[in-house]
Amino acid sequence: MTTRRRVSVMLSSLLLGLPVPLWDHPGYDAEDSHFNPNATITTFTTAWSARLRQVDESCSGFSAPLVGADQVFVTDTEGVSSYGIDSGDLRLRFTWDNAMDNSTPRMAVAGDLLILANGGCNSQSDPDGRLTALDFYGKTRWKAAMDTPIDAVVVDKGVVLVSGTSPSDVDQVAAYRVRDGHLLWTKSPYASSGVSADGLVPLQKTDGFGVPSGETVAVDIATGRPRWTNRASWHVEAASPTFGRFFATDRSGTFAALNAATGVAGWSVLKQATSLVATDGARVYLSSGSTVSSRDAATGRLLWSRKLPGAVQQPVLAAGLLYTGGLVLNALTGVPAGSTLPGYVVPAGTHLYQVNGPKLTAYAP
């Protein structure tokens, strides 16, 4: 998130009397950068922990937490819960009406709302999508339904954009107004990967049923109007925090940096495609199999590569450290920093929050 955008978010939150978000998307921000420039924690002492709800029969599970509104929001097998960021006291508990028919939601904190986007589980051929907006007490403020389960979600410029595919319905991207769930626009047959660069959202054209068909178009998130079109089919994984680049993959296995304003590819590397990407704007970090690597974001030049003992997860970057779902690395050198933190890790402010199975743990310096 750039300084300009951070100031805008902080002013908006202060004017509304809301706490400033610390990690409001699964990837930190709408750019899905997985980079928190405001986190300061570099040493880890357990501050508190909580056991998450776990039942045997459920379609929902555990995922990366979000941090905002003085709470840590986590998914569990019955719905969503939240805990106070400092004390770990239970704040919110939302329970699905049917845990067997609700997949693990993708979440976002948007102003005074928690957005949940998911799909049904009981139908393999024709599952539906669900969009739910909760207040911070767990009360439903609005709902919206889609014909397809929701595979991607991003919130930017007061709009929540979702995308989904199913065997029985044509792929669709839909944009809703955050404050009341009003449908703003739809576009078919296209798919979104859940990335926005200052309100510019790249969409991939499909055959209608999940298969890319050779076009990428970037649209305004508020109106759906196209800004540029690229005849190649790119799946965008992340955007630079400065909005200048999209990092994308194609079906041949190529990983590339696209100019966010024009869609033109700047550099590319073969056989490096991965969905596990983090970037601070100067560097881009890629995880694949058991290997983590760092490249210069402007040129694509390999800076370092390290093979780890086990499979790596989504890289997360903050305060000069790179979290890999196991070993914590020095972000500049790739050298192990001496700590191991398995599971989903979110650094926010002076704390770090970890979901590892049915357990949420908060660490302080």
Side-chain angles (χ1 to χ4, degrees):
M1 186 180 287
T2 63
T3 299
R4 173 169 60 86
R5 185 175 172 198
R6 286 200 302 272
V7 171
S8 175
V9 170
M10 290 175 67
L11 288 175
S12 298
S13 297
L14 290 172
L15 288 171
L16 291 170
L18 303 172
V20 176
L22 297 175
W23 190 288
D24 56 9
H25 275 73
Y28 173 69
D29 50 16
E31 289 71 49
D32 216 21
S33 68
H34 287 90
F35 164 56
N36 190 341
N38 301 312
T40 59
I41 185 168
T42 57
T43 58
F44 316 110
T45 301
T46 301
W48 55 264
S49 64
R51 298 295 295 181
L52 305 181
R53 293 182 294 178
Q54 189 173 24
V55 294
D56 293 334
E57 295 186 352
S58 176
C59 185
S60 192
F62 310 108
S63 61
L66 299 186
V67 186
D70 201 36
Q71 300 173 71
V72 186
F73 298 94
V74 288
T75 63
D76 56 42
T77 59
E78 292 190 64
V80 176
S81 301
S82 77
Y83 301 83
I85 58 174
D86 294 321
S87 61
D89 58 306
L90 181 66
R91 298 285 184 86
L92 175 153
R93 182 145 281 175
F94 172 79
T95 302
W96 300 120
D97 53 1
N98 183 357
M100 286 295 292
D101 195 29
N102 278 278
S103 63
T104 305
R106 290 166 169 81
M107 302 189 295
V109 176
D112 61 347
L113 296 176
L114 176 67
I115 305 296
L116 309 180
N118 70 335
C121 301
N122 286 343
S123 174
Q124 296 297 317
S125 61
D126 192 16
D128 295 326
R130 295 149 188 174
L131 195 58
T132 307
L134 306 177
D135 65 21
F136 295 147
Y137 298 97
K139 182 179 179 180
T140 300
R141 292 270 289 271
W142 57 262
K143 289 183 177 182
M146 283 183 66
D147 289 334
T148 62
I150 298 173
D151 304 318
V153 61
V154 63
V155 178
D156 205 3
K157 308 296 184 184
V159 176
V160 52
L161 183 142
V162 296
S163 173
T165 185
S166 82
S168 302
D169 300 288
V170 175
D171 297 343
Q172 184 181 77
V173 176
Y176 299 85
R177 195 161 54 204
V178 167
R179 70 173 184 267
D180 57 10
H182 174 73
L183 179 64
L184 298 173
W185 57 268
T186 62
K187 193 171 182 65
S188 300
Y190 285 86
S192 164
S193 55
V195 176
S196 173
D198 198 25
L200 185 65
V201 181
L203 307 179
Q204 197 174 25
K205 190 174 183 180
T206 74
D207 66 349
F209 300 97
V211 179
S213 63
E215 178 183 279
T216 307
V217 57
V219 304
D220 184 291
I221 193 170
T223 65
R225 295 192 185 98
R227 298 268 195 91
W228 54 255
T229 300
N230 187 318
R231 297 183 69 179
S233 184
W234 292 106
H235 186 275
V236 173
E237 309 292 353
S240 167
T242 57
F243 312 140
R245 296 184 180 91
F246 287 124
F247 298 101
T249 61
D250 68 10
R251 298 181 72 191
S252 73
T254 298
F255 184 86
L258 311 181
N259 184 308
T262 64
V264 175
W267 56 262
S268 62
V269 286
L270 301 176
K271 299 181 180 179
Q272 295 297 310
T274 177
S275 62
L276 305 179
V277 179
T279 180
D280 60 3
R283 297 180 174 211
V284 59
Y285 299 86
L286 311 178
S287 293
S288 180
S290 59
T291 299
V292 183
S293 61
S294 172
R295 292 182 178 272
D296 185 286
T299 66
R301 178 174 64 91
L302 182 66
L303 301 175
W304 57 259
S305 180
R306 177 168 291 275
K307 192 173 181 64
L308 301 182
V312 293
Q313 294 187 18
Q314 169 65 52
V316 170
L317 178 65
L321 297 176
L322 190 71
Y323 302 91
T324 68
L327 281 175
V328 182
L329 307 179
N330 181 300
L332 289 178
T333 64
V335 174
S339 300
T340 300
L341 289 170
Y344 305 103
V345 174
V346 165
T350 59
H351 285 66
L352 184 144
Y353 303 95
Q354 172 198 38
V355 170
N356 188 25
K359 184 178 181 182
L360 168 66
T361 304
Y363 298 91

